[in-house]
Short mmCIF file of all heavy atoms in Angstrom, two decimals:
data_model
loop_
_atom_site.label_atom_id
_atom_site.label_comp_id
_atom_site.label_asym_id
_atom_site.label_seq_id
_atom_site.Cartn_x
_atom_site.Cartn_y
_atom_site.Cartn_z
N MET V 1356 121.32 150.69 148.26
CA MET V 1356 121.37 151.85 147.42
C MET V 1356 122.46 152.68 147.82
O MET V 1356 122.55 153.17 148.97
CB MET V 1356 119.99 152.59 147.66
CG MET V 1356 120.02 153.87 146.81
SD MET V 1356 118.32 154.29 146.22
CE MET V 1356 117.45 154.46 147.76
N ASP V 1357 123.47 152.86 146.95
CA ASP V 1357 124.57 153.66 147.33
C ASP V 1357 124.85 154.88 146.49
O ASP V 1357 125.81 155.54 146.56
CB ASP V 1357 125.88 152.76 147.35
CG ASP V 1357 126.21 152.17 145.99
OD1 ASP V 1357 125.33 152.34 145.06
OD2 ASP V 1357 127.26 151.50 145.89
N ARG V 1358 123.80 155.28 145.69
CA ARG V 1358 124.05 156.47 144.88
C ARG V 1358 123.86 157.70 145.91
O ARG V 1358 123.00 157.61 146.84
CB ARG V 1358 123.12 156.67 143.71
CG ARG V 1358 121.63 156.66 143.97
CD ARG V 1358 120.93 156.68 142.73
NE ARG V 1358 119.51 156.99 142.99
CZ ARG V 1358 118.54 157.50 142.15
NH1 ARG V 1358 119.02 157.78 140.92
NH2 ARG V 1358 117.33 157.71 142.50
N LYS V 1359 124.53 158.67 145.68
CA LYS V 1359 124.61 159.76 146.61
C LYS V 1359 124.59 161.10 145.91
O LYS V 1359 125.30 161.22 144.87
CB LYS V 1359 125.92 159.60 147.47
CG LYS V 1359 125.98 160.36 148.74
CD LYS V 1359 127.17 159.91 149.53
CE LYS V 1359 127.38 160.80 150.64
NZ LYS V 1359 128.64 160.66 151.37
N LEU V 1360 123.92 162.07 146.47
CA LEU V 1360 123.90 163.36 145.75
C LEU V 1360 125.23 164.02 146.00
O LEU V 1360 125.80 164.09 147.02
CB LEU V 1360 122.79 164.21 146.46
CG LEU V 1360 122.67 165.58 145.78
CD1 LEU V 1360 121.92 165.42 144.40
CD2 LEU V 1360 121.81 166.49 146.64
N LYS V 1361 125.78 164.55 144.85
CA LYS V 1361 127.02 165.31 144.88
C LYS V 1361 126.74 166.77 144.54
O LYS V 1361 126.00 167.03 143.58
CB LYS V 1361 128.00 164.70 143.84
CG LYS V 1361 129.05 163.77 144.38
CD LYS V 1361 130.17 163.62 143.40
CE LYS V 1361 130.13 162.21 142.87
NZ LYS V 1361 130.82 161.91 141.62
N ILE V 1362 127.34 167.62 145.24
CA ILE V 1362 127.18 169.03 144.90
C ILE V 1362 128.52 169.58 144.32
O ILE V 1362 129.49 169.54 145.04
CB ILE V 1362 126.76 169.80 146.26
CG1 ILE V 1362 125.41 169.28 146.66
CG2 ILE V 1362 126.73 171.30 145.92
CD1 ILE V 1362 124.90 169.82 147.96
N LEU V 1363 128.43 169.99 143.09
CA LEU V 1363 129.58 170.37 142.37
C LEU V 1363 129.69 171.94 142.55
O LEU V 1363 129.11 172.67 141.75
CB LEU V 1363 129.52 169.99 140.87
CG LEU V 1363 129.28 168.48 140.66
CD1 LEU V 1363 129.28 168.22 139.17
CD2 LEU V 1363 130.43 167.66 141.31
N LYS V 1364 130.40 172.34 143.56
CA LYS V 1364 130.42 173.75 143.88
C LYS V 1364 131.00 174.60 142.74
O LYS V 1364 130.67 175.78 142.61
CB LYS V 1364 131.21 174.02 145.18
CG LYS V 1364 130.51 173.36 146.36
CD LYS V 1364 131.06 173.83 147.70
CE LYS V 1364 130.19 173.10 148.75
NZ LYS V 1364 130.37 173.59 150.13
N GLU V 1365 131.94 174.01 142.05
CA GLU V 1365 132.55 174.82 140.93
C GLU V 1365 131.58 175.08 139.80
O GLU V 1365 131.80 175.92 139.01
CB GLU V 1365 133.82 174.08 140.40
CG GLU V 1365 133.68 172.72 139.77
CD GLU V 1365 133.52 171.57 140.76
OE1 GLU V 1365 133.36 171.78 141.94
OE2 GLU V 1365 133.50 170.45 140.28
N LYS V 1366 130.48 174.34 139.69
CA LYS V 1366 129.48 174.57 138.69
C LYS V 1366 128.42 175.53 139.10
O LYS V 1366 127.67 176.11 138.28
CB LYS V 1366 128.79 173.23 138.24
CG LYS V 1366 129.70 172.38 137.48
CD LYS V 1366 128.93 171.41 136.63
CE LYS V 1366 129.88 170.58 135.78
NZ LYS V 1366 129.08 169.67 134.88
N CYS V 1367 128.34 175.79 140.37
CA CYS V 1367 127.30 176.68 140.94
C CYS V 1367 127.91 178.13 141.00
O CYS V 1367 128.94 178.35 141.52
CB CYS V 1367 126.96 176.23 142.35
SG CYS V 1367 125.83 177.41 143.12
N PRO V 1368 127.23 179.07 140.29
CA PRO V 1368 127.76 180.44 140.29
C PRO V 1368 127.66 181.12 141.64
O PRO V 1368 128.38 182.14 141.91
CB PRO V 1368 126.81 181.17 139.29
CG PRO V 1368 125.65 180.29 139.08
CD PRO V 1368 126.00 178.88 139.46
N GLN V 1369 126.95 180.55 142.59
CA GLN V 1369 126.93 181.01 143.98
C GLN V 1369 126.55 182.54 144.08
O GLN V 1369 127.21 183.31 144.81
CB GLN V 1369 128.21 180.71 144.67
CG GLN V 1369 128.46 179.23 144.62
CD GLN V 1369 129.62 178.76 145.55
OE1 GLN V 1369 129.62 179.03 146.68
NE2 GLN V 1369 130.53 177.96 145.03
N ASN V 1370 125.68 182.98 143.27
CA ASN V 1370 125.31 184.36 143.22
C ASN V 1370 123.81 184.63 143.24
O ASN V 1370 123.28 185.61 142.91
CB ASN V 1370 125.90 185.06 141.99
CG ASN V 1370 125.40 184.48 140.68
OD1 ASN V 1370 124.49 183.57 140.67
ND2 ASN V 1370 125.86 184.94 139.60
N HIS V 1371 123.08 183.51 143.64
CA HIS V 1371 121.63 183.70 143.71
C HIS V 1371 121.02 182.76 144.76
O HIS V 1371 121.71 181.82 145.20
CB HIS V 1371 121.08 183.33 142.28
CG HIS V 1371 121.36 181.92 141.89
ND1 HIS V 1371 122.63 181.57 141.38
CD2 HIS V 1371 120.64 180.83 141.83
CE1 HIS V 1371 122.55 180.31 141.03
NE2 HIS V 1371 121.38 179.77 141.30
N LYS V 1372 119.73 182.93 144.98
CA LYS V 1372 119.00 182.01 145.88
C LYS V 1372 118.83 180.76 145.17
O LYS V 1372 118.35 180.67 144.08
CB LYS V 1372 117.70 182.65 146.28
CG LYS V 1372 116.98 182.05 147.41
CD LYS V 1372 115.88 183.01 147.94
CE LYS V 1372 115.13 182.41 149.06
NZ LYS V 1372 114.29 181.33 148.71
N CYS V 1373 119.21 179.62 145.78
CA CYS V 1373 119.13 178.32 145.04
C CYS V 1373 117.69 177.87 144.92
O CYS V 1373 117.03 177.60 145.97
CB CYS V 1373 119.96 177.24 145.77
SG CYS V 1373 119.73 175.60 145.02
N PRO V 1374 117.17 177.78 143.71
CA PRO V 1374 115.79 177.38 143.51
C PRO V 1374 115.48 175.93 143.87
O PRO V 1374 114.42 175.49 144.17
CB PRO V 1374 115.48 177.66 142.09
CG PRO V 1374 116.81 177.63 141.36
CD PRO V 1374 117.86 177.99 142.42
N ALA V 1375 116.59 175.10 143.86
CA ALA V 1375 116.38 173.67 144.13
C ALA V 1375 116.07 173.38 145.56
O ALA V 1375 115.52 172.34 145.93
CB ALA V 1375 117.65 172.90 143.67
N VAL V 1376 116.41 174.34 146.42
CA VAL V 1376 116.14 174.16 147.90
C VAL V 1376 114.68 173.83 148.17
O VAL V 1376 114.32 172.99 148.87
CB VAL V 1376 116.68 175.35 148.72
CG1 VAL V 1376 116.18 175.29 150.16
CG2 VAL V 1376 118.20 175.38 148.65
N SER V 1377 113.83 174.58 147.38
CA SER V 1377 112.39 174.45 147.64
C SER V 1377 111.76 173.28 146.84
O SER V 1377 110.64 172.97 147.03
CB SER V 1377 111.66 175.78 147.36
OG SER V 1377 111.97 176.21 146.08
N VAL V 1378 112.57 172.72 145.94
CA VAL V 1378 112.06 171.56 145.12
C VAL V 1378 112.20 170.27 145.96
O VAL V 1378 111.44 169.34 145.76
CB VAL V 1378 112.90 171.49 143.86
CG1 VAL V 1378 112.87 170.15 143.16
CG2 VAL V 1378 112.45 172.59 142.90
N CYS V 1379 113.19 170.26 146.85
CA CYS V 1379 113.37 168.98 147.67
C CYS V 1379 112.16 168.72 148.52
O CYS V 1379 111.76 169.54 149.33
CB CYS V 1379 114.66 169.20 148.51
SG CYS V 1379 114.91 167.79 149.60
N PRO V 1380 111.60 167.53 148.34
CA PRO V 1380 110.35 167.13 149.03
C PRO V 1380 110.62 166.94 150.59
O PRO V 1380 109.68 166.83 151.36
CB PRO V 1380 109.90 165.89 148.41
CG PRO V 1380 111.17 165.27 147.79
CD PRO V 1380 112.05 166.42 147.45
N VAL V 1381 111.83 166.70 150.95
CA VAL V 1381 112.14 166.38 152.37
C VAL V 1381 112.97 167.41 153.10
O VAL V 1381 113.37 167.21 154.21
CB VAL V 1381 112.74 164.96 152.51
CG1 VAL V 1381 111.86 163.89 152.00
CG2 VAL V 1381 114.14 164.96 151.77
N GLY V 1382 113.16 168.51 152.40
CA GLY V 1382 113.90 169.66 153.10
C GLY V 1382 115.31 169.25 153.40
O GLY V 1382 115.90 169.63 154.46
N ALA V 1383 115.97 168.53 152.54
CA ALA V 1383 117.31 168.13 152.79
C ALA V 1383 118.37 169.11 152.34
O ALA V 1383 119.54 169.02 152.72
CB ALA V 1383 117.64 166.78 152.15
N LEU V 1384 117.94 170.09 151.55
CA LEU V 1384 118.89 171.05 151.01
C LEU V 1384 118.80 172.36 151.78
O LEU V 1384 117.63 172.80 152.13
CB LEU V 1384 118.60 171.32 149.54
CG LEU V 1384 118.97 170.27 148.52
CD1 LEU V 1384 118.51 170.69 147.09
CD2 LEU V 1384 120.49 169.99 148.53
N SER V 1385 119.85 172.95 152.08
CA SER V 1385 119.83 174.23 152.74
C SER V 1385 120.96 175.11 152.09
O SER V 1385 121.85 174.58 151.46
CB SER V 1385 120.13 174.02 154.22
OG SER V 1385 121.41 173.52 154.46
N GLN V 1386 120.83 176.37 152.24
CA GLN V 1386 121.70 177.33 151.59
C GLN V 1386 122.11 178.43 152.56
O GLN V 1386 121.19 179.00 153.18
CB GLN V 1386 121.05 177.94 150.36
CG GLN V 1386 122.04 178.82 149.56
CD GLN V 1386 121.40 179.47 148.39
OE1 GLN V 1386 120.23 179.71 148.33
NE2 GLN V 1386 122.22 179.75 147.32
N LYS V 1387 123.34 178.71 152.62
CA LYS V 1387 123.82 179.86 153.45
C LYS V 1387 124.09 180.95 152.55
O LYS V 1387 124.89 180.79 151.56
CB LYS V 1387 125.11 179.39 154.21
CG LYS V 1387 124.96 179.45 155.68
CD LYS V 1387 126.34 179.37 156.29
CE LYS V 1387 126.82 177.92 156.52
NZ LYS V 1387 128.24 177.80 156.72
N TYR V 1388 123.54 182.15 152.72
CA TYR V 1388 123.75 183.28 151.83
C TYR V 1388 123.54 182.83 150.38
O TYR V 1388 122.61 182.06 150.10
CB TYR V 1388 125.14 183.91 152.05
CG TYR V 1388 125.40 184.22 153.54
CD1 TYR V 1388 126.30 183.40 154.19
CD2 TYR V 1388 124.63 185.18 154.20
CE1 TYR V 1388 126.49 183.67 155.61
CE2 TYR V 1388 124.84 185.40 155.53
CZ TYR V 1388 125.79 184.67 156.25
OH TYR V 1388 125.98 184.88 157.57
N PHE V 1389 124.41 183.13 149.54
CA PHE V 1389 124.29 182.68 148.13
C PHE V 1389 125.24 181.51 147.83
O PHE V 1389 125.59 181.25 146.69
CB PHE V 1389 124.44 183.80 147.12
CG PHE V 1389 123.30 184.77 147.07
CD1 PHE V 1389 123.44 185.96 146.42
CD2 PHE V 1389 122.08 184.41 147.63
CE1 PHE V 1389 122.38 186.86 146.33
CE2 PHE V 1389 120.95 185.25 147.55
CZ PHE V 1389 121.14 186.52 146.90
N GLU V 1390 125.82 180.91 148.87
CA GLU V 1390 126.70 179.77 148.64
C GLU V 1390 126.04 178.63 147.92
O GLU V 1390 124.76 178.58 147.91
CB GLU V 1390 127.29 179.37 149.94
CG GLU V 1390 128.29 180.36 150.52
CD GLU V 1390 128.77 179.99 151.99
OE1 GLU V 1390 128.47 178.85 152.41
OE2 GLU V 1390 129.27 180.85 152.64
N ALA V 1391 126.81 177.72 147.45
CA ALA V 1391 126.19 176.42 146.92
C ALA V 1391 125.47 175.77 148.00
O ALA V 1391 125.87 175.88 149.20
CB ALA V 1391 127.31 175.59 146.39
N PRO V 1392 124.36 175.12 147.75
CA PRO V 1392 123.58 174.47 148.78
C PRO V 1392 124.28 173.25 149.39
O PRO V 1392 125.23 172.73 148.77
CB PRO V 1392 122.33 173.98 148.02
CG PRO V 1392 122.66 173.97 146.63
CD PRO V 1392 123.77 174.97 146.39
N GLU V 1393 123.90 172.94 150.58
CA GLU V 1393 124.40 171.76 151.36
C GLU V 1393 123.35 170.73 151.43
O GLU V 1393 122.13 171.09 151.50
CB GLU V 1393 124.95 172.12 152.60
CG GLU V 1393 125.94 173.27 152.54
CD GLU V 1393 127.11 173.09 153.45
OE1 GLU V 1393 127.01 172.37 154.48
OE2 GLU V 1393 128.25 173.64 153.10
N VAL V 1394 123.73 169.47 151.51
CA VAL V 1394 122.74 168.39 151.60
C VAL V 1394 122.83 167.74 152.95
O VAL V 1394 123.99 167.42 153.40
CB VAL V 1394 122.75 167.38 150.49
CG1 VAL V 1394 124.11 166.74 150.40
CG2 VAL V 1394 121.64 166.36 150.59
N ASP V 1395 121.73 167.48 153.60
CA ASP V 1395 121.68 166.71 154.85
C ASP V 1395 121.50 165.21 154.36
O ASP V 1395 120.35 164.84 153.98
CB ASP V 1395 120.57 167.18 155.71
CG ASP V 1395 120.50 166.40 157.03
OD1 ASP V 1395 120.99 165.27 157.04
OD2 ASP V 1395 119.87 166.88 157.97
N TYR V 1396 122.51 164.46 154.43
CA TYR V 1396 122.42 163.08 153.92
C TYR V 1396 121.48 162.17 154.71
O TYR V 1396 121.12 161.14 154.26
CB TYR V 1396 123.84 162.45 153.78
CG TYR V 1396 124.59 163.07 152.62
CD1 TYR V 1396 125.68 163.88 152.85
CD2 TYR V 1396 124.24 162.81 151.29
CE1 TYR V 1396 126.43 164.46 151.81
CE2 TYR V 1396 124.90 163.34 150.22
CZ TYR V 1396 126.02 164.13 150.54
OH TYR V 1396 126.70 164.72 149.46
N ASP V 1397 121.25 162.60 155.96
CA ASP V 1397 120.37 161.76 156.79
C ASP V 1397 118.89 162.00 156.31
O ASP V 1397 118.03 161.18 156.48
CB ASP V 1397 120.44 162.15 158.26
CG ASP V 1397 121.74 161.77 158.79
OD1 ASP V 1397 122.31 160.79 158.35
OD2 ASP V 1397 122.21 162.44 159.75
N LYS V 1398 118.62 163.11 155.64
CA LYS V 1398 117.27 163.43 155.19
C LYS V 1398 117.04 163.09 153.76
O LYS V 1398 115.99 162.70 153.32
CB LYS V 1398 116.99 164.95 155.35
CG LYS V 1398 116.74 165.39 156.71
CD LYS V 1398 116.24 166.86 156.70
CE LYS V 1398 116.10 167.40 158.08
NZ LYS V 1398 116.03 168.94 158.12
N CYS V 1399 118.11 163.16 152.96
CA CYS V 1399 118.00 162.99 151.51
C CYS V 1399 117.54 161.52 151.15
O CYS V 1399 118.10 160.50 151.65
CB CYS V 1399 119.41 163.22 150.84
SG CYS V 1399 119.37 162.93 149.09
N ILE V 1400 116.49 161.46 150.33
CA ILE V 1400 115.97 160.12 149.96
C ILE V 1400 116.40 159.80 148.48
O ILE V 1400 115.92 158.89 147.86
CB ILE V 1400 114.43 160.07 149.98
CG1 ILE V 1400 113.83 161.24 149.15
CG2 ILE V 1400 113.98 160.24 151.42
CD1 ILE V 1400 112.28 161.15 149.08
N ARG V 1401 117.35 160.58 147.95
CA ARG V 1401 117.99 160.34 146.60
C ARG V 1401 116.91 160.30 145.52
O ARG V 1401 116.98 159.38 144.67
CB ARG V 1401 118.82 159.01 146.67
CG ARG V 1401 119.97 159.18 147.67
CD ARG V 1401 120.38 157.81 148.04
NE ARG V 1401 121.39 157.91 149.11
CZ ARG V 1401 121.17 157.96 150.41
NH1 ARG V 1401 119.94 157.89 150.80
NH2 ARG V 1401 122.13 158.09 151.24
N CYS V 1402 115.97 161.23 145.55
CA CYS V 1402 114.90 161.15 144.55
C CYS V 1402 115.32 161.74 143.16
O CYS V 1402 114.72 161.44 142.22
CB CYS V 1402 113.67 161.94 145.15
SG CYS V 1402 114.00 163.69 145.23
N GLY V 1403 116.34 162.57 143.23
CA GLY V 1403 116.82 163.21 141.99
C GLY V 1403 116.09 164.44 141.56
O GLY V 1403 116.39 164.98 140.49
N LYS V 1404 115.17 164.87 142.31
CA LYS V 1404 114.38 166.09 141.87
C LYS V 1404 115.32 167.30 141.73
O LYS V 1404 115.20 168.04 140.77
CB LYS V 1404 113.25 166.42 142.91
CG LYS V 1404 112.14 165.41 142.71
CD LYS V 1404 110.84 165.92 143.35
CE LYS V 1404 109.79 164.96 143.01
NZ LYS V 1404 108.85 164.60 144.13
N CYS V 1405 116.18 167.50 142.70
CA CYS V 1405 117.02 168.68 142.70
C CYS V 1405 117.99 168.55 141.53
O CYS V 1405 118.32 169.61 140.88
CB CYS V 1405 117.72 168.88 143.98
SG CYS V 1405 118.80 167.49 144.51
N SER V 1406 118.51 167.40 141.25
CA SER V 1406 119.55 167.28 140.20
C SER V 1406 118.89 167.50 138.80
O SER V 1406 119.48 167.94 137.91
CB SER V 1406 120.30 165.98 140.32
OG SER V 1406 119.44 164.80 140.09
N ASN V 1407 117.65 167.10 138.65
CA ASN V 1407 116.93 167.39 137.42
C ASN V 1407 116.58 168.85 137.25
O ASN V 1407 116.43 169.30 136.24
CB ASN V 1407 115.56 166.53 137.25
CG ASN V 1407 115.86 165.14 137.07
OD1 ASN V 1407 116.88 164.72 136.52
ND2 ASN V 1407 114.96 164.23 137.53
N PHE V 1408 116.49 169.49 138.34
CA PHE V 1408 116.02 170.88 138.42
C PHE V 1408 117.16 171.89 138.13
O PHE V 1408 116.93 172.91 137.45
CB PHE V 1408 115.35 171.05 139.70
CG PHE V 1408 114.63 172.45 139.79
CD1 PHE V 1408 113.35 172.56 139.22
CD2 PHE V 1408 115.14 173.52 140.46
CE1 PHE V 1408 112.67 173.75 139.27
CE2 PHE V 1408 114.49 174.76 140.54
CZ PHE V 1408 113.26 174.85 139.98
N CYS V 1409 118.32 171.63 138.73
CA CYS V 1409 119.42 172.62 138.67
C CYS V 1409 119.85 172.88 137.25
O CYS V 1409 120.32 171.97 136.59
CB CYS V 1409 120.55 172.19 139.49
SG CYS V 1409 121.99 173.34 139.34
N PRO V 1410 119.65 174.12 136.67
CA PRO V 1410 120.02 174.40 135.36
C PRO V 1410 121.51 174.35 135.08
O PRO V 1410 121.95 174.18 133.98
CB PRO V 1410 119.46 175.76 135.09
CG PRO V 1410 119.30 176.35 136.45
CD PRO V 1410 119.09 175.29 137.41
N LYS V 1411 122.29 174.46 136.15
CA LYS V 1411 123.73 174.43 135.98
C LYS V 1411 124.37 173.00 136.10
O LYS V 1411 125.51 172.88 136.13
CB LYS V 1411 124.40 175.39 137.08
CG LYS V 1411 124.06 176.82 136.87
CD LYS V 1411 124.74 177.38 135.68
CE LYS V 1411 124.44 178.87 135.57
NZ LYS V 1411 124.97 179.44 134.32
N LYS V 1412 123.49 172.08 136.46
CA LYS V 1412 123.91 170.70 136.65
C LYS V 1412 125.04 170.62 137.77
O LYS V 1412 125.96 169.87 137.70
CB LYS V 1412 124.53 170.04 135.39
CG LYS V 1412 123.53 170.05 134.25
CD LYS V 1412 122.64 168.84 134.24
CE LYS V 1412 121.56 168.83 133.35
NZ LYS V 1412 120.24 169.37 133.84
N ALA V 1413 124.75 171.47 138.84
CA ALA V 1413 125.62 171.43 139.92
C ALA V 1413 125.23 170.38 141.01
O ALA V 1413 126.02 170.06 141.96
CB ALA V 1413 125.65 172.80 140.66
N LEU V 1414 124.05 169.81 140.83
CA LEU V 1414 123.58 168.73 141.74
C LEU V 1414 123.51 167.47 140.89
O LEU V 1414 122.68 167.32 140.07
CB LEU V 1414 122.19 169.14 142.29
CG LEU V 1414 122.17 170.46 143.09
CD1 LEU V 1414 120.70 170.91 143.28
CD2 LEU V 1414 122.81 170.26 144.41
N ILE V 1415 124.34 166.53 141.27
CA ILE V 1415 124.45 165.32 140.49
C ILE V 1415 124.14 164.10 141.39
O ILE V 1415 124.71 163.95 142.47
CB ILE V 1415 125.84 165.17 139.90
CG1 ILE V 1415 126.19 166.36 139.06
CG2 ILE V 1415 126.04 163.87 139.09
CD1 ILE V 1415 125.40 166.47 137.73
N LEU V 1416 123.31 163.25 140.84
CA LEU V 1416 122.99 162.08 141.65
C LEU V 1416 123.61 160.79 141.05
O LEU V 1416 123.56 160.57 139.85
CB LEU V 1416 121.42 161.80 141.71
CG LEU V 1416 120.95 160.93 142.74
CD1 LEU V 1416 121.20 161.42 144.11
CD2 LEU V 1416 119.37 160.81 142.63
S1 SF4 N 437 117.89 164.04 145.86
FE1 SF4 N 437 115.76 164.54 146.42
S2 SF4 N 437 115.75 164.25 148.64
FE2 SF4 N 437 117.93 164.43 148.01
S3 SF4 N 437 118.46 166.66 148.22
FE3 SF4 N 437 117.75 166.27 146.18
S4 SF4 N 437 115.58 166.71 146.03
FE4 SF4 N 437 116.14 166.42 148.21
#
C-alpha cells in the first residue's frame, strides 16, 4: 500500500481549529495554532476519513 495522505497547505485557510483532527481514529493529525494540520505517518492508517471530511479538500489521500 503506497497511497499517502497529502496535506495541501495552500487549500487550507489556516484560520480555524481543524475539525478533521478529531475525526482521525488513530490521532495521527495534529495542529499547531491555526496552521494546516500535520500528519504522523507512523500512526496514519490511510483510512481516508479526514480527506472525506475536510470541506476545503486540503487533505488528499
Ligand atoms: S487518513 Fe485516516 S488515519 Fe490517516 S490522518 Fe486521515 S483520518 Fe487519520
Side-chain angles (χ1 to χ4, degrees):
M1356 180 149 59
D1357 58 357
R1358 62 182 191 159
K1359 196 172 171 189
L1360 185 71
K1361 257 196 249 164
I1362 297 174
L1363 306 178
K1364 296 196 176 189
E1365 66 278 11
K1366 290 204 174 179
C1367 175
Q1369 307 192 46
N1370 61 4
H1371 61 283
K1372 193 166 180 288
C1373 175
V1376 170
S1377 54
V1378 162
C1379 177
V1381 295
L1384 287 176
S1385 59
Q1386 184 183 29
K1387 241 193 273 164
Y1388 310 109
F1389 284 167
E1390 288 171 16
E1393 305 222 335
V1394 62
D1395 180 339
Y1396 288 109
D1397 291 332
K1398 286 188 185 166
C1399 178
I1400 55 172
R1401 299 159 185 88
C1402 68
K1404 285 195 177 141
C1405 59
S1406 66
N1407 287 331
F1408 191 77
C1409 176
K1411 297 288 185 186
K1412 301 274 172 267
L1414 301 164
I1415 301 292
L1416 199 60

